[in-house]
Amino acid sequence: MGNSGGSLTTRSTGELHQFMRAAGFTGIDDTKAMAEGWQVTDFADAGRRSLASLVQRTGEPAVMVSFLDSDVGFIEALTPDGNSWEGLLNREMAMSYEIPLEHFPVEPAVARALAWSAAAGLTSDEEAIRQTLTGSALFAEELSSALMVALGLPGAA
């Protein structure tokens, strides 16, 4: 059985775990530093408004990927000024779960991801974002890692 939790990537000048708990994240794991203040933290579960609450509390952009048994990744991203987007990782596998792909159109997600990245002060790679949103992998976490690089997150690997 794979990962059914999630991964949160954000900047934080305070105690990120406290902000995450206050925003409704549970099962918070260790935080790993990336570069330029960006951090990534795995978690077990998040509430429906957890990402919005966290961004409001920290005043920093964030991207969250929630995994379904390591097969599929549901992306949510938000900046403090309201730039947001949603997407889906591992579309081919998502079909086997009968997830309606029409709820996650690729081109609008690419456009909004580019806008989110710019609003977050990052330099993204449009084609690489598109590839992560249309690609397949054994584990959705592989596509998530590639997406963080494509979004231009410093220190993402």
Side-chain angles (χ1 to χ4, degrees), residues 19 34 39-40 42 50 54 67 82 109-110 124 128 147 150-151 153:
F19 287 131
M34 291 170 42
Q39 305 170 51
V40 62
D42 293 333
S50 291
L54 180 86
F67 298 104
V110 170
S124 57
L147 176 64
L151 288 170
L153 288 157

Side-chain angles (χ1 to χ4, degrees), residues 93-134:
M93 187 59 78
M95 289 189 304
S96 70
Y97 283 93
E98 298 181 5
I99 295 169
L101 299 184
E102 65 273 9
H103 292 193
F104 301 95
V106 172
E107 290 309 314
V110 170
R112 294 192 72 140
L114 291 168
W116 177 90
S117 180
L122 305 171
T123 303
S124 57
D125 180 333
E126 180 176 352
E127 189 51 38
I129 292 171
R130 187 174 288 105
Q131 287 175 357
T132 63
L133 296 178
T134 58

